[in-house]
Amino acid sequence: MLWIPSEIYKEILRHVPIACVDIAIVSEGRILLVERMDEPAKGQMWLPGGRVRKGETMRDAAARKAIEEVGIECHVGPIVHTAETIFDDGPHGVPVHSINTCFFLFPRLPGARVRLDDHHARFAWVEGIEGDLHPYVRRCLLAAGLQRSMVEK
């Protein structure tokens, strides 16, 4: 994998939106969320995902992020939501503007076990939309077919 030197990446973040994929991995009617350990959105529950590499299709990026971030080989399904996120915080203290496309993914094998990478603290399989989730995550979960909890309706 080609790494961009820190100073060049900071300049890119300062001037250009970043193309990202997020993945709604669906298993037994639940969707996987992970707690982010890095900015932006550090400490928040989020969908696994990340940057699309140059020359990589978004579908290929979605499959790659499932393996890299949670250790699950998946079939990539349809796009369920596209939006942008803008954060005042980000890597190297630089604000982040990303264009995010969320895909439905389905584990290739039943009973797949989650193996988190070093960028996530914990995970949860959710059946509904509740708690203090970022609006983008809420919209992805809603688009993926989850319902708001009775308390939040």
Side-chain angles (χ1 to χ4, degrees), residues 20-26 31-32 47-50 52 56-63 65-66 74-82 99-106 136 140-141 143-144:
C20 294
V21 294
D22 291 302
I23 54 178
I25 299 175
V26 181
I31 294 177
L32 182 65
L47 296 155
V52 178
E56 180 180 48
T57 68
M58 290 189 306
R59 293 179 62 79
D60 288 346
K65 294 311 289 183
C74 291
H75 297 284
V76 178
I79 293 170
V80 295
H81 186 65
T82 298
I99 300 168
N100 309 74
T101 299
C102 184
F103 286 86
F104 246 147
L105 270 72
F106 307 90
Y136 169 76
C140 288
L141 294 177

Side-chain angles (χ1 to χ4, degrees), residues 134-150:
H134 187 278
Y136 169 76
V137 174
R138 288 177 169 281
R139 288 190 301 271
C140 288
L141 294 177
L142 197 59
L146 293 189
Q147 301 295 315
R148 291 181 179 95
S149 71
M150 293 302 289

